[in-house]
Amino acid sequence: MPESSIIKYMVRLKFNIDGVVEKADVIGAIFGQTEGLFGPELNLNELQKNWKIGRIEINLNSKNDQTYGEVLIPSSTDITTAALLAAAVESVDKVGPCAARFQLVEIEDVRASKRKLIGDRAKEILKMWSAKSTSEGEELVREVTEAAKPGRIASYGPEGLPAGPGMFNAETVILVEGRADVLNLLRAGVDNTLAVEGAKIPDSVIKLAKERNLIAFLDGDRGGDLIQKELQQVARVSRVYRAPPGKEVEDLTPVELLDILQGRREERREERREERREERREERREELPPPPPRPVAPKATVKLPEKLAGKLKEIFPDLKDSLEAYILDEELTVLGHLPVSELVSSLSGFKGAKHIVFDGIVTQRLVDAAAKAGVSTIIGYKVSDAIKKPEGATVESFASVGLA
């Protein structure tokens, strides 16, 4: 099955069936009625074996003797092949004994969605970097900003309350205590702010609370306590943030401001605690005696043909700890590369298979299936006890051939 990172297109179709059927019936109809339409290169079974399409998902519901739902086909093919697959599924007109209608909804370019996510994340990273870099030389930044941009603070309402320029169009407005708090938040890139200028809440703020979502960001002192109590009585505030005890909003760095507003302060505290715990663990490790040397890998006890042994050494680094399998023909050409869980069920589909090398345990069930498929060599991570080998077959472990 294609990994999500290499899926290019997601083919979505909807269907309506005159009768009650199950998912297995729909899958069987799709595979059965599209087989042989365009030759083996566009056969759904072959495309799945070659990891060109993933597992076909069926979502369905039944009501009033009708079954309806959608089909999802993840594809790593080109757009032409994806379109042909969609058209082929649309040609399915029966599911079991019931008449059926399939219709394409869309062919989604998964990579386009991924590019948008990457672009949005890049913007977030740039914003965080900008906030952190602003913290360097903080005192100098404050002096230069105040001197160079004295007019950035606007006024609001008949009281002339200090306000950030972004609050006039923002759905959420941050209430602070004074002009200096508005200015400090502007340095951190937060411009949807409004100062209440004292413990008594102005009428403009009370009226604004009926029209906008308000949150408060108050000093960590008694003055902040009084304003919070007053706000709770006269205006609807969805959330209240506070500066650390004894500190004022105007004294915080841009990073500290954003940490509090974005709820990251507790996360950073936990990170620092975890760092201290790790330091203590590292100190204890240094006091322990060194671990004993690792045992040397066993030497090969079985000699394989030279060409086969060379091929195994070539593919072993990719195979180790992967829970995957390689199927080779007599010329040591790779016929298939698939998960171990699908090995037994898929083995009969590989014509000319002679060798199996896989990161799993060799069982009697696999040995029997391999014998039927004409496989002469099976090499796995480990071989189960009491395996009955077919005459002339080679069944070994990684260790016995010197790969472990």
Side-chain angles (χ1 to χ4, degrees), residues 314-346:
E314 177 186 331
I315 63 177
F316 185 69
D318 291 333
L319 188 64
K320 186 179 180 182
D321 299 327
S322 68
L323 295 179
E324 294 182 347
Y326 279 89
I327 299 175
L328 313 176
D329 64 11
E330 192 168 2
E331 301 300 324
L332 303 182
T333 302
V334 176
L335 299 179
H337 181 194
L338 65 161
V340 169
S341 60
E342 300 176 10
L343 180 55
V344 174
S345 60
S346 303

Side-chain angles (χ1 to χ4, degrees), residues 255-271:
V255 171
E256 290 173 327
L257 292 170
L258 295 178
D259 279 353
I260 294 172
L261 289 176
Q262 297 173 2
R264 292 207 304 260
R265 183 171 54 179
E266 288 302 320
E267 293 179 13
R268 288 181 178 272
R269 287 179 179 174
E270 181 58 33
E271 288 174 1

Side-chain angles (χ1 to χ4, degrees), residues 60-227:
L60 57 76
N61 288 291
S62 298
K63 186 177 181 181
N64 298 328
D65 200 31
Q66 293 280 319
T67 303
Y68 57 90
E70 66 173 358
V71 180
L72 304 177
I73 306 176
S75 170
S76 63
T77 65
D78 55 38
I79 186 60
T80 302
T81 303
L84 283 171
L85 290 175
V89 176
E90 280 190 331
S91 71
V92 174
D93 56 5
K94 275 190 175 295
V95 175
C98 306
R101 294 165 295 282
F102 287 76
Q103 183 180 356
L104 176 67
V105 176
E106 66 170 346
I107 299 179
E108 178 190 357
D109 187 340
V110 178
R111 296 168 302 174
S113 302
K114 187 173 183 180
R115 283 193 295 268
K116 185 179 183 303
L117 289 174
I118 293 172
D120 292 343
R121 177 56 181 156
K123 293 174 185 176
E124 292 179 8
I125 293 172
L126 185 59
K127 185 175 180 180
M128 290 190 307
W129 178 86
S130 178
K132 290 181 180 180
S133 62
T134 303
S135 299
E136 299 178 12
E138 178 192 349
E139 293 299 327
L140 179 60
V141 170
R142 288 188 179 187
E143 295 173 3
V144 172
T145 303
E146 291 176 1
K149 300 181 179 179
R152 283 191 64 186
I153 295 181
S155 63
Y156 177 79
E159 301 92 347
L161 301 175
M167 67 84 50
F168 295 94
N169 299 316
E171 294 182 2
T172 299
V173 177
I174 301 174
L175 299 180
V176 294
E177 295 187 28
R179 178 186 177 87
D181 300 336
V182 174
L183 183 61
N184 200 26
L185 282 162
L186 283 174
R187 295 191 188 99
V190 181
D191 62 359
N192 57 327
T193 52
L194 178 65
V196 298
E197 291 282 82
K200 180 172 175 56
I201 306 303
D203 292 339
S204 295
V205 176
I206 297 173
K207 181 179 178 181
L208 187 66
K210 300 176 182 179
E211 305 169 352
R212 312 272 192 92
N213 176 42
L214 299 185
I215 64 176
F217 191 3
L218 307 174
D219 295 343
D221 55 16
R222 178 165 173 74
D225 296 338
L226 295 175
I227 294 176

